[in-house]
Amino acid sequence: MSETSARPAAANAIYRGMDRPALDAAYNNSLAVPDSAERMARGRERSAVVRANTSPRLLDVAYGDRPRERLDYFPSGAAKPPLLVFIHGGYWQRNDKDMFAFVADGPRAHGIDVAVVGYMLAPDVRLTDIVAEMHQALTFLSERADDFGFDRNRLFVTGWSAGGHLTATTSSHPACRGGIPISGIFDLEPIALCYLDEKIKLDATEIATLSPLRVLPQRMPPLRLFVGAAETSELVRQSTTYAHAARERALPVTLTVMPGHNHFTILDELSRPTGAITRALVEMVTTAR
C-alpha cells in the first residue's frame, strides 16, 4: 500500500486536519440541527406578530440608500431607555431582518429598546461592504437618538452567527458601549475554504482585516460571548479561541458556553425575558451607567 493511499485524510486535509467535505459539514448549522427549518419558521411567525404590533413608521426605516439598508425599531415604552442593536445571521448571504423581530421580546421586558438591522447580502456585495453598513447603521441610530427616544450613551450591539461576527467588527464604533456576539465567527480562514465562499468570495485582505481574531485592538468595549455546547465543534472553537486570545491581551471579553443549546435554540436565551443572554445584557447595561 502506498503512503498516499494509507493516509487519505491527511493528504486531503485543507484545514485543521479536515478535508473539504468535513469542513463543509463543520460549518453547516442547518444540517447539524434536524429541526432547524421548523425553528426558523416559528421565529418568522413570532416576528410577524411583533411587527404587526409595531407602528409602521418604525418599520423599514432607511439608514442608507441600498434596498436592504433598513432597520426595524421596537420601543420598550421606557423613558430614555438603552438601545440594543440586533444583527441577524445567515452567513452574510441569506435571511433578513424581518425574521428576527422576536428577539426584541426579552430586552423590551427590561425597558431596553431594540433595533433589528438589515444589510445587503453576498454575492451582491463584498463582506467589506456589509461591515461598513453596520457602522453606517450605528452612526445613523446614534445621530437620531433623540428622534427615536433612546439614550445615545447606552447603545449596545448583539448578533447571531454571522451577526456575531458583525457584532465584533462593529464594537469599534464610537457609539458602541458593549457587545454580545452569539455563536459568532471570529476567524474567516475556514469560511474561505468551505462551501460558504462560493458566494462570499473572500480575499486575503478581508480574511486578514475582517477576522476579529486577527485584529484584536489595544482597547475595546466589553464583549460577552455566548455559544451553545451542542453546536458544531468548529463554532464552539471559534468563540473559545477568540475569547482566549482577547483575555491574553487583558481585553474585557468573556465566554459562556450554554449547556444543551444548539445553534438555533440559543436565541431563546435572548428572546425570553429570563434568558441567560437577556440577563447578561441587563447586567451590561447596568454596569455601563
Side-chain angles (χ1 to χ4, degrees), residues 68-139:
R68 293 177 62 99
E69 293 177 344
R70 302 288 185 269
L71 62 87
D72 296 332
Y73 193 95
F74 303 106
S76 64
K80 208 72 170 178
L83 173 66
L84 177 69
V85 177
F86 178 85
I87 307 172
H88 73 78
Y91 280 136
W92 311 277
Q93 57 189 272
R94 58 179 177 269
N95 296 337
D96 59 70
K97 64 175 177 55
D98 297 9
M99 301 166 58
F100 294 92
F102 73 93
V103 303
D105 286 346
R108 290 198 299 173
H110 296 274
I112 301 170
D113 288 7
V114 176
V116 180
V117 181
Y119 50 89
M120 297 294 290
L121 301 176
D124 293 337
V125 297
R126 299 201 63 82
L127 184 55
T128 299
D129 301 313
I130 296 173
V131 171
E133 284 179 320
M134 294 302 93
H135 282 260
Q136 183 180 349
L138 260 61
T139 297

Side-chain angles (χ1 to χ4, degrees), residues 262-285:
N262 62 45
H263 193 67
F264 297 88
T265 61
I266 196 168
L267 279 179
D268 294 341
E269 299 295 336
L270 177 61
S271 66
R272 292 191 292 108
T274 58
I277 299 177
T278 303
R279 296 198 304 270
L281 169 64
V282 172
E283 180 183 342
M284 180 178 284
V285 167

Side-chain angles (χ1 to χ4, degrees), residues 88-278:
H88 73 78
Y91 280 136
W92 311 277
Q93 57 189 272
R94 58 179 177 269
N95 296 337
D96 59 70
K97 64 175 177 55
D98 297 9
M99 301 166 58
F100 294 92
F102 73 93
V103 303
D105 286 346
R108 290 198 299 173
H110 296 274
I112 301 170
D113 288 7
V114 176
V116 180
V117 181
Y119 50 89
M120 297 294 290
L121 301 176
D124 293 337
V125 297
R126 299 201 63 82
L127 184 55
T128 299
D129 301 313
I130 296 173
V131 171
E133 284 179 320
M134 294 302 93
H135 282 260
Q136 183 180 349
L138 260 61
T139 297
F140 174 89
L141 285 162
S142 179
E143 290 177 347
R144 291 159 180 80
D146 292 340
D147 296 334
F148 287 107
F150 71 89
D151 183 353
R152 65 167 43 86
N153 294 314
R154 291 191 293 159
L155 188 157
F156 303 85
V157 183
T158 187
W160 168 71
S161 197
H165 164 266
L166 294 171
T167 298
T169 59
T170 305
S171 65
S172 62
H173 191 284
C176 179
R177 297 297 305 278
I180 304 180
I182 305 168
S183 305
I185 301 295
F186 303 98
D187 186 4
L188 295 170
E189 181 183 358
I191 305 301
L193 294 172
C194 74
Y195 76 103
L196 295 167
D197 200 53
E198 292 169 9
K199 289 186 177 180
I200 305 170
K201 301 188 185 304
L202 291 164
D203 60 32
T205 298
E206 288 174 316
I207 294 170
T209 62
L210 301 181
S211 292
L213 178 64
R214 302 182 184 215
V215 288
L216 285 165
Q218 294 299 313
R219 299 181 62 183
M220 66 190 308
L223 296 183
R224 294 283 302 272
L225 275 61
F226 285 84
V227 67
E231 302 205 41
T232 68
S233 59
E234 269 297 284
L235 264 291
V236 175
R237 185 193 64 79
Q238 285 268 355
S239 290
T240 302
T241 302
Y242 180 70
H244 178 73
R247 284 196 296 266
E248 283 193 327
R249 295 196 176 201
L251 293 169
V253 176
T254 63
L255 170 63
T256 301
V257 180
M258 297 296 298
H261 276 298
N262 62 45
H263 193 67
F264 297 88
T265 61
I266 196 168
L267 279 179
D268 294 341
E269 299 295 336
L270 177 61
S271 66
R272 292 191 292 108
T274 58
I277 299 177
T278 303

